[in-house]
Amino acid sequence: MEFGMWGRSRVKRIGIVATRLAGTDGVSLESDKWVQVMEERGLTCYYFAGELDRPPERSYLAEEAHFNHPEIQEIQQASFGVTTRPRSLTRKIQEIKSELKDDLYSFIKQFKIDLLMPENSLTIPMNIPLGLAITEVIAETGMPATAHHHDFYWERDRFSINAVSDYLNMAFPPNLPTLNHTIINSYAEEQLALRTGISARVVPNIMNFENPPPPPDDYTSEVREAIGIADDEVFVLQPTRVVKRKGIEHAIELVCRLGLKAKLVISHDAGDEGFDYQERLKEYADFLKVDLVFASDIINEKRGRTKDGRKIYTLDDVYPYADLVTYPSTFEGFGNAFLEALYFSKPIVVNTYSIYSKDIKPKGFSVIELDGYVTKHAVEKTKQILADPKLCQEMVEHNYELGKRFFSYDVLRKRLDIAALKYPELFGQEEI
């Protein structure tokens, strides 16, 4: 099929485009879940990104697509926090955009792509040239596309002052006749329509609740010991990166006020957002005499060994051994860690961030809530749950069933079936 000749023929080959499709970040994880459901329907998925751990025979690596590429980092630093840009910056953005367009055309041609699926790459401007390149390719070819949006630039303070508003309005996201939009929460749906006039379908993040996690295997038998948790200690897991919006100081205060022998374990490091907040947490934990453990050295994407010979565990390996999960975020696009806690049948402490309050809480989950700060009621409820195994079991079983009802793979299958009624070419079905 020649470029620009797409009609409403049946789509069989999906081209997923992102800055990174590797590891355990939310975009990579959710895109993989979509792939599983789409491939059940006989579709074949191919991958374009700046970092990939997908099947190499179906992958196209374009290094400049990565948000951590040195030239992309230079563009980011020069584009935000200022209100004008030099001509040289415009030239650099356009040059890299042209290179990425060539890569995208090669990707489409090499794998005979029928439909593009940008994964957050038309949503948050972590790579401006990539967003522009995707937009222009769709505009030039008229090929069908479905953008999967996770978090928009207007949801992040660091993008509010910028010298690239023309590019943001053009491509994050673009409003194109062959581009459909899906988003992960209803607040984003409202804001997208208000700011751009674009309508979108809400498809929440999901977990495979139809298939409960397998019991821990022998490899994980020493998890608590490896992290340094004694048999008589409470294992409190904060399964997030160390960034300010995760509200980890609330978890530290909660553990302090429990008055129990406990360790608060943070699973991930600070990533690309600096280490000032991590130092603040260390100081705060010292002040409150809370035993805080940063365990990212032995919790990673895959099992293995550290340089000094210690076992490396996945987060899935660690969850079964936790007594309590804390998730006191002030903002989340959805809340994967919330779903993970439900999936592994763990009681959870959650801050009432906006998306939780609007899209999750009304479903009726039984959790320990913080409304922006730690209350006496939250402390007492946490103590009660930890002290009463029967009550805890009733809570997690109730939550698991609600997770299965509202956030399972079957929910995604049904949403795709509804979409297929309107867009049968998207999902490889001539008749539904």
Side-chain angles (χ1 to χ4, degrees), residues 265-300:
V265 178
I266 304 176
S267 61
H268 292 64
D269 61 19
D272 58 354
E273 299 198 22
F275 293 91
D276 290 347
Y277 182 59
Q278 181 167 313
E279 291 304 312
R280 146 73 176 159
L281 294 178
K282 289 179 181 177
E283 293 171 2
Y284 191 51
D286 287 344
F287 179 71
L288 293 182
K289 295 181 173 56
V290 170
D291 201 344
L292 180 63
V293 177
F294 295 93
S296 62
D297 57 336
I298 61 167
I299 300 176
N300 214 311

PDB file of all heavy atoms in Angstrom, residues 265-300:
ATOM      1  N   VAL A 265      10.018   0.518  53.119  1.00  0.00           N
ATOM      2  CA  VAL A 265      10.904   0.154  52.012  1.00  0.00           C
ATOM      3  C   VAL A 265      10.417   0.838  50.741  1.00  0.00           C
ATOM      4  O   VAL A 265       9.262   0.652  50.327  1.00  0.00           O
ATOM      5  CB  VAL A 265      10.928  -1.373  51.803  1.00  0.00           C
ATOM      6  CG1 VAL A 265      11.812  -1.738  50.618  1.00  0.00           C
ATOM      7  CG2 VAL A 265      11.401  -2.070  53.072  1.00  0.00           C
ATOM      8  N   ILE A 266      11.301   1.621  50.110  1.00  0.00           N
ATOM      9  CA  ILE A 266      10.985   2.277  48.843  1.00  0.00           C
ATOM     10  C   ILE A 266      11.637   1.474  47.727  1.00  0.00           C
ATOM     11  O   ILE A 266      12.841   1.236  47.734  1.00  0.00           O
ATOM     12  CB  ILE A 266      11.470   3.731  48.828  1.00  0.00           C
ATOM     13  CG1 ILE A 266      10.883   4.498  50.028  1.00  0.00           C
ATOM     14  CG2 ILE A 266      11.063   4.416  47.525  1.00  0.00           C
ATOM     15  CD1 ILE A 266      11.380   5.920  50.145  1.00  0.00           C
ATOM     16  N   SER A 267      10.842   1.072  46.759  1.00  0.00           N
ATOM     17  CA  SER A 267      11.298   0.088  45.780  1.00  0.00           C
ATOM     18  C   SER A 267      12.161   0.668  44.665  1.00  0.00           C
ATOM     19  O   SER A 267      13.038  -0.010  44.145  1.00  0.00           O
ATOM     20  CB  SER A 267      10.088  -0.615  45.154  1.00  0.00           C
ATOM     21  OG  SER A 267       9.258   0.325  44.491  1.00  0.00           O
ATOM     22  N   HIS A 268      11.911   1.925  44.265  1.00  0.00           N
ATOM     23  CA  HIS A 268      12.594   2.490  43.109  1.00  0.00           C
ATOM     24  C   HIS A 268      13.442   3.688  43.521  1.00  0.00           C
ATOM     25  O   HIS A 268      13.241   4.266  44.592  1.00  0.00           O
ATOM     26  CB  HIS A 268      11.577   2.936  42.054  1.00  0.00           C
ATOM     27  CG  HIS A 268      10.835   1.797  41.409  1.00  0.00           C
ATOM     28  ND1 HIS A 268       9.988   0.968  42.115  1.00  0.00           N
ATOM     29  CD2 HIS A 268      10.795   1.360  40.124  1.00  0.00           C
ATOM     30  CE1 HIS A 268       9.463   0.071  41.277  1.00  0.00           C
ATOM     31  NE2 HIS A 268       9.950   0.290  40.074  1.00  0.00           N
ATOM     32  N   ASP A 269      14.346   4.088  42.630  1.00  0.00           N
ATOM     33  CA  ASP A 269      15.174   5.256  42.917  1.00  0.00           C
ATOM     34  C   ASP A 269      14.507   6.520  42.394  1.00  0.00           C
ATOM     35  O   ASP A 269      13.340   6.507  41.987  1.00  0.00           O
ATOM     36  CB  ASP A 269      16.585   5.084  42.341  1.00  0.00           C
ATOM     37  CG  ASP A 269      16.589   4.928  40.823  1.00  0.00           C
ATOM     38  OD1 ASP A 269      15.588   5.304  40.173  1.00  0.00           O
ATOM     39  OD2 ASP A 269      17.585   4.418  40.280  1.00  0.00           O
ATOM     40  N   ALA A 270      15.252   7.608  42.390  1.00  0.00           N
ATOM     41  CA  ALA A 270      14.694   8.905  41.998  1.00  0.00           C
ATOM     42  C   ALA A 270      14.551   9.044  40.491  1.00  0.00           C
ATOM     43  O   ALA A 270      13.857   9.942  40.008  1.00  0.00           O
ATOM     44  CB  ALA A 270      15.570  10.033  42.544  1.00  0.00           C
ATOM     45  N   GLY A 271      15.201   8.184  39.727  1.00  0.00           N
ATOM     46  CA  GLY A 271      15.109   8.283  38.276  1.00  0.00           C
ATOM     47  C   GLY A 271      15.744   9.551  37.758  1.00  0.00           C
ATOM     48  O   GLY A 271      16.832   9.945  38.180  1.00  0.00           O
ATOM     49  N   ASP A 272      15.042  10.242  36.845  1.00  0.00           N
ATOM     50  CA  ASP A 272      15.608  11.417  36.181  1.00  0.00           C
ATOM     51  C   ASP A 272      15.160  12.727  36.817  1.00  0.00           C
ATOM     52  O   ASP A 272      15.286  13.785  36.225  1.00  0.00           O
ATOM     53  CB  ASP A 272      15.230  11.408  34.690  1.00  0.00           C
ATOM     54  CG  ASP A 272      13.716  11.377  34.474  1.00  0.00           C
ATOM     55  OD1 ASP A 272      12.975  11.243  35.470  1.00  0.00           O
ATOM     56  OD2 ASP A 272      13.287  11.495  33.318  1.00  0.00           O
ATOM     57  N   GLU A 273      14.636  12.686  38.036  1.00  0.00           N
ATOM     58  CA  GLU A 273      14.097  13.903  38.645  1.00  0.00           C
ATOM     59  C   GLU A 273      14.945  14.423  39.797  1.00  0.00           C
ATOM     60  O   GLU A 273      14.498  15.222  40.616  1.00  0.00           O
ATOM     61  CB  GLU A 273      12.644  13.667  39.103  1.00  0.00           C
ATOM     62  CG  GLU A 273      11.731  13.310  37.931  1.00  0.00           C
ATOM     63  CD  GLU A 273      10.259  13.491  38.254  1.00  0.00           C
ATOM     64  OE1 GLU A 273       9.937  14.259  39.176  1.00  0.00           O
ATOM     65  OE2 GLU A 273       9.432  12.876  37.558  1.00  0.00           O
ATOM     66  N   GLY A 274      16.194  13.964  39.908  1.00  0.00           N
ATOM     67  CA  GLY A 274      17.096  14.513  40.907  1.00  0.00           C
ATOM     68  C   GLY A 274      16.970  13.828  42.256  1.00  0.00           C
ATOM     69  O   GLY A 274      16.041  13.051  42.504  1.00  0.00           O
ATOM     70  N   PHE A 275      17.931  14.162  43.148  1.00  0.00           N
ATOM     71  CA  PHE A 275      18.015  13.450  44.428  1.00  0.00           C
ATOM     72  C   PHE A 275      17.754  14.348  45.643  1.00  0.00           C
ATOM     73  O   PHE A 275      17.915  13.910  46.773  1.00  0.00           O
ATOM     74  CB  PHE A 275      19.396  12.791  44.543  1.00  0.00           C
ATOM     75  CG  PHE A 275      19.590  11.671  43.543  1.00  0.00           C
ATOM     76  CD1 PHE A 275      20.147  11.921  42.294  1.00  0.00           C
ATOM     77  CD2 PHE A 275      19.181  10.381  43.841  1.00  0.00           C
ATOM     78  CE1 PHE A 275      20.314  10.898  41.368  1.00  0.00           C
ATOM     79  CE2 PHE A 275      19.350   9.353  42.932  1.00  0.00           C
ATOM     80  CZ  PHE A 275      19.917   9.616  41.691  1.00  0.00           C
ATOM     81  N   ASP A 276      17.348  15.602  45.427  1.00  0.00           N
ATOM     82  CA  ASP A 276      17.071  16.504  46.552  1.00  0.00           C
ATOM     83  C   ASP A 276      15.947  15.955  47.432  1.00  0.00           C
ATOM     84  O   ASP A 276      16.029  16.001  48.665  1.00  0.00           O
ATOM     85  CB  ASP A 276      16.703  17.896  46.046  1.00  0.00           C
ATOM     86  CG  ASP A 276      17.887  18.627  45.429  1.00  0.00           C
ATOM     87  OD1 ASP A 276      19.028  18.149  45.633  1.00  0.00           O
ATOM     88  OD2 ASP A 276      17.670  19.652  44.763  1.00  0.00           O
ATOM     89  N   TYR A 277      14.894  15.455  46.790  1.00  0.00           N
ATOM     90  CA  TYR A 277      13.756  14.936  47.555  1.00  0.00           C
ATOM     91  C   TYR A 277      14.165  13.707  48.354  1.00  0.00           C
ATOM     92  O   TYR A 277      13.737  13.523  49.502  1.00  0.00           O
ATOM     93  CB  TYR A 277      12.601  14.608  46.602  1.00  0.00           C
ATOM     94  CG  TYR A 277      11.350  14.101  47.289  1.00  0.00           C
ATOM     95  CD1 TYR A 277      10.688  14.858  48.248  1.00  0.00           C
ATOM     96  CD2 TYR A 277      10.825  12.849  46.977  1.00  0.00           C
ATOM     97  CE1 TYR A 277       9.537  14.399  48.870  1.00  0.00           C
ATOM     98  CE2 TYR A 277       9.678  12.376  47.582  1.00  0.00           C
ATOM     99  CZ  TYR A 277       9.034  13.157  48.533  1.00  0.00           C
ATOM    100  OH  TYR A 277       7.905  12.688  49.148  1.00  0.00           O
ATOM    101  N   GLN A 278      15.009  12.861  47.787  1.00  0.00           N
ATOM    102  CA  GLN A 278      15.479  11.678  48.502  1.00  0.00           C
ATOM    103  C   GLN A 278      16.248  12.080  49.760  1.00  0.00           C
ATOM    104  O   GLN A 278      16.066  11.465  50.821  1.00  0.00           O
ATOM    105  CB  GLN A 278      16.361  10.831  47.583  1.00  0.00           C
ATOM    106  CG  GLN A 278      16.881   9.554  48.223  1.00  0.00           C
ATOM    107  CD  GLN A 278      17.486   8.601  47.220  1.00  0.00           C
ATOM    108  OE1 GLN A 278      16.910   8.328  46.174  1.00  0.00           O
ATOM    109  NE2 GLN A 278      18.659   8.090  47.522  1.00  0.00           N
ATOM    110  N   GLU A 279      17.084  13.111  49.662  1.00  0.00           N
ATOM    111  CA  GLU A 279      17.819  13.586  50.836  1.00  0.00           C
ATOM    112  C   GLU A 279      16.868  14.136  51.883  1.00  0.00           C
ATOM    113  O   GLU A 279      17.049  13.924  53.085  1.00  0.00           O
ATOM    114  CB  GLU A 279      18.839  14.643  50.422  1.00  0.00           C
ATOM    115  CG  GLU A 279      20.001  14.095  49.601  1.00  0.00           C
ATOM    116  CD  GLU A 279      20.723  12.968  50.326  1.00  0.00           C
ATOM    117  OE1 GLU A 279      21.047  13.142  51.532  1.00  0.00           O
ATOM    118  OE2 GLU A 279      20.954  11.904  49.702  1.00  0.00           O
ATOM    119  N   ARG A 280      15.848  14.837  51.431  1.00  0.00           N
ATOM    120  CA  ARG A 280      14.826  15.358  52.348  1.00  0.00           C
ATOM    121  C   ARG A 280      14.135  14.208  53.095  1.00  0.00           C
ATOM    122  O   ARG A 280      13.914  14.285  54.315  1.00  0.00           O
ATOM    123  CB  ARG A 280      13.820  16.183  51.555  1.00  0.00           C
ATOM    124  CG  ARG A 280      12.382  16.165  52.019  1.00  0.00           C
ATOM    125  CD  ARG A 280      12.132  16.951  53.273  1.00  0.00           C
ATOM    126  NE  ARG A 280      10.708  16.948  53.597  1.00  0.00           N
ATOM    127  CZ  ARG A 280      10.210  17.195  54.792  1.00  0.00           C
ATOM    128  NH1 ARG A 280      11.024  17.484  55.787  1.00  0.00           N
ATOM    129  NH2 ARG A 280       8.917  17.175  55.014  1.00  0.00           N
ATOM    130  N   LEU A 281      13.829  13.127  52.398  1.00  0.00           N
ATOM    131  CA  LEU A 281      13.174  11.985  53.039  1.00  0.00           C
ATOM    132  C   LEU A 281      14.083  11.327  54.074  1.00  0.00           C
ATOM    133  O   LEU A 281      13.622  10.932  55.151  1.00  0.00           O
ATOM    134  CB  LEU A 281      12.754  10.955  51.987  1.00  0.00           C
ATOM    135  CG  LEU A 281      11.668  11.387  50.993  1.00  0.00           C
ATOM    136  CD1 LEU A 281      11.387  10.283  49.994  1.00  0.00           C
ATOM    137  CD2 LEU A 281      10.386  11.796  51.708  1.00  0.00           C
ATOM    138  N   LYS A 282      15.375  11.211  53.749  1.00  0.00           N
ATOM    139  CA  LYS A 282      16.317  10.636  54.712  1.00  0.00           C
ATOM    140  C   LYS A 282      16.351  11.461  55.995  1.00  0.00           C
ATOM    141  O   LYS A 282      16.319  10.922  57.109  1.00  0.00           O
ATOM    142  CB  LYS A 282      17.712  10.565  54.091  1.00  0.00           C
ATOM    143  CG  LYS A 282      17.876   9.527  52.994  1.00  0.00           C
ATOM    144  CD  LYS A 282      19.297   9.574  52.429  1.00  0.00           C
ATOM    145  CE  LYS A 282      19.507   8.576  51.318  1.00  0.00           C
ATOM    146  NZ  LYS A 282      20.871   8.677  50.729  1.00  0.00           N
ATOM    147  N   GLU A 283      16.429  12.778  55.831  1.00  0.00           N
ATOM    148  CA  GLU A 283      16.480  13.667  56.993  1.00  0.00           C
ATOM    149  C   GLU A 283      15.192  13.569  57.810  1.00  0.00           C
ATOM    150  O   GLU A 283      15.225  13.543  59.051  1.00  0.00           O
ATOM    151  CB  GLU A 283      16.708  15.105  56.535  1.00  0.00           C
ATOM    152  CG  GLU A 283      18.081  15.336  55.917  1.00  0.00           C
ATOM    153  CD  GLU A 283      18.202  16.708  55.276  1.00  0.00           C
ATOM    154  OE1 GLU A 283      17.202  17.479  55.352  1.00  0.00           O
ATOM    155  OE2 GLU A 283      19.259  17.017  54.708  1.00  0.00           O
ATOM    156  N   TYR A 284      14.060  13.521  57.123  1.00  0.00           N
ATOM    157  CA  TYR A 284      12.765  13.461  57.808  1.00  0.00           C
ATOM    158  C   TYR A 284      12.619  12.135  58.555  1.00  0.00           C
ATOM    159  O   TYR A 284      12.134  12.095  59.695  1.00  0.00           O
ATOM    160  CB  TYR A 284      11.645  13.631  56.784  1.00  0.00           C
ATOM    161  CG  TYR A 284      10.273  13.858  57.386  1.00  0.00           C
ATOM    162  CD1 TYR A 284      10.054  14.841  58.343  1.00  0.00           C
ATOM    163  CD2 TYR A 284       9.183  13.096  56.972  1.00  0.00           C
ATOM    164  CE1 TYR A 284       8.794  15.054  58.870  1.00  0.00           C
ATOM    165  CE2 TYR A 284       7.918  13.296  57.494  1.00  0.00           C
ATOM    166  CZ  TYR A 284       7.734  14.277  58.450  1.00  0.00           C
ATOM    167  OH  TYR A 284       6.483  14.486  58.983  1.00  0.00           O
ATOM    168  N   ALA A 285      13.041  11.033  57.914  1.00  0.00           N
ATOM    169  CA  ALA A 285      12.974   9.723  58.569  1.00  0.00           C
ATOM    170  C   ALA A 285      13.891   9.682  59.792  1.00  0.00           C
ATOM    171  O   ALA A 285      13.515   9.133  60.844  1.00  0.00           O
ATOM    172  CB  ALA A 285      13.343   8.628  57.576  1.00  0.00           C
ATOM    173  N   ASP A 286      15.075  10.270  59.687  1.00  0.00           N
ATOM    174  CA  ASP A 286      15.982  10.331  60.836  1.00  0.00           C
ATOM    175  C   ASP A 286      15.350  11.125  61.976  1.00  0.00           C
ATOM    176  O   ASP A 286      15.437  10.734  63.147  1.00  0.00           O
ATOM    177  CB  ASP A 286      17.312  10.970  60.429  1.00  0.00           C
ATOM    178  CG  ASP A 286      18.163  10.047  59.572  1.00  0.00           C
ATOM    179  OD1 ASP A 286      17.878   8.837  59.553  1.00  0.00           O
ATOM    180  OD2 ASP A 286      19.100  10.551  58.923  1.00  0.00           O
ATOM    181  N   PHE A 287      14.726  12.233  61.627  1.00  0.00           N
ATOM    182  CA  PHE A 287      14.092  13.092  62.620  1.00  0.00           C
ATOM    183  C   PHE A 287      12.984  12.356  63.370  1.00  0.00           C
ATOM    184  O   PHE A 287      12.831  12.487  64.591  1.00  0.00           O
ATOM    185  CB  PHE A 287      13.539  14.340  61.937  1.00  0.00           C
ATOM    186  CG  PHE A 287      12.831  15.293  62.851  1.00  0.00           C
ATOM    187  CD1 PHE A 287      13.535  16.057  63.779  1.00  0.00           C
ATOM    188  CD2 PHE A 287      11.450  15.426  62.802  1.00  0.00           C
ATOM    189  CE1 PHE A 287      12.879  16.936  64.632  1.00  0.00           C
ATOM    190  CE2 PHE A 287      10.789  16.299  63.658  1.00  0.00           C
ATOM    191  CZ  PHE A 287      11.509  17.054  64.576  1.00  0.00           C
ATOM    192  N   LEU A 288      12.191  11.547  62.618  1.00  0.00           N
ATOM    193  CA  LEU A 288      11.070  10.825  63.227  1.00  0.00           C
ATOM    194  C   LEU A 288      11.460   9.424  63.693  1.00  0.00           C
ATOM    195  O   LEU A 288      10.611   8.667  64.161  1.00  0.00           O
ATOM    196  CB  LEU A 288       9.906  10.723  62.233  1.00  0.00           C
ATOM    197  CG  LEU A 288       9.217  12.040  61.857  1.00  0.00           C
ATOM    198  CD1 LEU A 288       8.056  11.797  60.903  1.00  0.00           C
ATOM    199  CD2 LEU A 288       8.718  12.782  63.096  1.00  0.00           C
ATOM    200  N   LYS A 289      12.757   9.097  63.542  1.00  0.00           N
ATOM    201  CA  LYS A 289      13.271   7.786  63.965  1.00  0.00           C
ATOM    202  C   LYS A 289      12.529   6.633  63.269  1.00  0.00           C
ATOM    203  O   LYS A 289      12.145   5.632  63.889  1.00  0.00           O
ATOM    204  CB  LYS A 289      13.201   7.644  65.485  1.00  0.00           C
ATOM    205  CG  LYS A 289      14.120   8.625  66.209  1.00  0.00           C
ATOM    206  CD  LYS A 289      14.038   8.446  67.716  1.00  0.00           C
ATOM    207  CE  LYS A 289      15.095   9.304  68.424  1.00  0.00           C
ATOM    208  NZ  LYS A 289      15.008  10.749  68.096  1.00  0.00           N
ATOM    209  N   VAL A 290      12.350   6.792  61.963  1.00  0.00           N
ATOM    210  CA  VAL A 290      11.740   5.759  61.131  1.00  0.00           C
ATOM    211  C   VAL A 290      12.834   5.056  60.342  1.00  0.00           C
ATOM    212  O   VAL A 290      13.701   5.701  59.750  1.00  0.00           O
ATOM    213  CB  VAL A 290      10.697   6.359  60.167  1.00  0.00           C
ATOM    214  CG1 VAL A 290      10.242   5.328  59.120  1.00  0.00           C
ATOM    215  CG2 VAL A 290       9.490   6.871  60.944  1.00  0.00           C
ATOM    216  N   ASP A 291      12.789   3.733  60.349  1.00  0.00           N
ATOM    217  CA  ASP A 291      13.771   2.926  59.619  1.00  0.00           C
ATOM    218  C   ASP A 291      13.371   2.909  58.143  1.00  0.00           C
ATOM    219  O   ASP A 291      12.454   2.190  57.733  1.00  0.00           O
ATOM    220  CB  ASP A 291      13.794   1.513  60.197  1.00  0.00           C
ATOM    221  CG  ASP A 291      15.085   0.776  59.868  1.00  0.00           C
ATOM    222  OD1 ASP A 291      15.797   1.234  58.959  1.00  0.00           O
ATOM    223  OD2 ASP A 291      15.364  -0.243  60.515  1.00  0.00           O
ATOM    224  N   LEU A 292      14.067   3.715  57.344  1.00  0.00           N
ATOM    225  CA  LEU A 292      13.744   3.888  55.923  1.00  0.00           C
ATOM    226  C   LEU A 292      14.791   3.163  55.082  1.00  0.00           C
ATOM    227  O   LEU A 292      15.988   3.356  55.268  1.00  0.00           O
ATOM    228  CB  LEU A 292      13.732   5.379  55.581  1.00  0.00           C
ATOM    229  CG  LEU A 292      13.413   5.784  54.144  1.00  0.00           C
ATOM    230  CD1 LEU A 292      11.996   5.359  53.765  1.00  0.00           C
ATOM    231  CD2 LEU A 292      13.581   7.296  53.975  1.00  0.00           C
ATOM    232  N   VAL A 293      14.315   2.337  54.127  1.00  0.00           N
ATOM    233  CA  VAL A 293      15.211   1.543  53.293  1.00  0.00           C
ATOM    234  C   VAL A 293      14.964   1.877  51.827  1.00  0.00           C
ATOM    235  O   VAL A 293      13.831   1.775  51.345  1.00  0.00           O
ATOM    236  CB  VAL A 293      14.994   0.026  53.513  1.00  0.00           C
ATOM    237  CG1 VAL A 293      15.895  -0.783  52.586  1.00  0.00           C
ATOM    238  CG2 VAL A 293      15.238  -0.344  54.966  1.00  0.00           C
ATOM    239  N   PHE A 294      16.008   2.289  51.123  1.00  0.00           N
ATOM    240  CA  PHE A 294      15.945   2.462  49.674  1.00  0.00           C
ATOM    241  C   PHE A 294      16.484   1.169  49.057  1.00  0.00           C
ATOM    242  O   PHE A 294      17.667   0.857  49.185  1.00  0.00           O
ATOM    243  CB  PHE A 294      16.784   3.658  49.236  1.00  0.00           C
ATOM    244  CG  PHE A 294      16.262   4.969  49.748  1.00  0.00           C
ATOM    245  CD1 PHE A 294      16.741   5.508  50.944  1.00  0.00           C
ATOM    246  CD2 PHE A 294      15.279   5.669  49.063  1.00  0.00           C
ATOM    247  CE1 PHE A 294      16.259   6.712  51.434  1.00  0.00           C
ATOM    248  CE2 PHE A 294      14.787   6.876  49.543  1.00  0.00           C
ATOM    249  CZ  PHE A 294      15.277   7.397  50.729  1.00  0.00           C
ATOM    250  N   ALA A 295      15.605   0.429  48.400  1.00  0.00           N
ATOM    251  CA  ALA A 295      15.952  -0.939  47.982  1.00  0.00           C
ATOM    252  C   ALA A 295      16.104  -1.095  46.476  1.00  0.00           C
ATOM    253  O   ALA A 295      16.058  -2.210  45.964  1.00  0.00           O
ATOM    254  CB  ALA A 295      14.890  -1.914  48.496  1.00  0.00           C
ATOM    255  N   SER A 296      16.297   0.007  45.761  1.00  0.00           N
ATOM    256  CA  SER A 296      16.366  -0.097  44.307  1.00  0.00           C
ATOM    257  C   SER A 296      17.595  -0.864  43.825  1.00  0.00           C
ATOM    258  O   SER A 296      17.649  -1.295  42.670  1.00  0.00           O
ATOM    259  CB  SER A 296      16.358   1.296  43.665  1.00  0.00           C
ATOM    260  OG  SER A 296      17.482   2.041  44.075  1.00  0.00           O
ATOM    261  N   ASP A 297      18.586  -1.060  44.718  1.00  0.00           N
ATOM    262  CA  ASP A 297      19.761  -1.827  44.309  1.00  0.00           C
ATOM    263  C   ASP A 297      19.450  -3.309  44.149  1.00  0.00           C
ATOM    264  O   ASP A 297      20.114  -4.017  43.376  1.00  0.00           O
ATOM    265  CB  ASP A 297      20.906  -1.627  45.303  1.00  0.00           C
ATOM    266  CG  ASP A 297      20.521  -2.002  46.729  1.00  0.00           C
ATOM    267  OD1 ASP A 297      19.311  -1.979  47.049  1.00  0.00           O
ATOM    268  OD2 ASP A 297      21.429  -2.303  47.531  1.00  0.00           O
ATOM    269  N   ILE A 298      18.432  -3.795  44.849  1.00  0.00           N
ATOM    270  CA  ILE A 298      18.084  -5.219  44.733  1.00  0.00           C
ATOM    271  C   ILE A 298      16.651  -5.444  44.234  1.00  0.00           C
ATOM    272  O   ILE A 298      16.171  -6.577  44.210  1.00  0.00           O
ATOM    273  CB  ILE A 298      18.289  -5.979  46.066  1.00  0.00           C
ATOM    274  CG1 ILE A 298      17.407  -5.398  47.181  1.00  0.00           C
ATOM    275  CG2 ILE A 298      19.749  -5.987  46.450  1.00  0.00           C
ATOM    276  CD1 ILE A 298      17.349  -6.294  48.395  1.00  0.00           C
ATOM    277  N   ILE A 299      15.957  -4.379  43.844  1.00  0.00           N
ATOM    278  CA  ILE A 299      14.642  -4.503  43.212  1.00  0.00           C
ATOM    279  C   ILE A 299      14.749  -3.869  41.842  1.00  0.00           C
ATOM    280  O   ILE A 299      15.026  -2.677  41.718  1.00  0.00           O
ATOM    281  CB  ILE A 299      13.534  -3.825  44.036  1.00  0.00           C
ATOM    282  CG1 ILE A 299      13.430  -4.446  45.437  1.00  0.00           C
ATOM    283  CG2 ILE A 299      12.188  -3.962  43.313  1.00  0.00           C
ATOM    284  CD1 ILE A 299      12.418  -3.761  46.336  1.00  0.00           C
ATOM    285  N   ASN A 300      14.560  -4.683  40.815  1.00  0.00           N
ATOM    286  CA  ASN A 300      14.769  -4.181  39.461  1.00  0.00           C
ATOM    287  C   ASN A 300      13.773  -4.831  38.517  1.00  0.00           C
ATOM    288  O   ASN A 300      12.867  -5.554  38.942  1.00  0.00           O
ATOM    289  CB  ASN A 300      16.215  -4.441  39.023  1.00  0.00           C
ATOM    290  CG  ASN A 300      16.749  -3.354  38.131  1.00  0.00           C
ATOM    291  OD1 ASN A 300      16.101  -2.965  37.160  1.00  0.00           O
ATOM    292  ND2 ASN A 300      17.933  -2.854  38.451  1.00  0.00           N
TER     293      ASN A 300
END
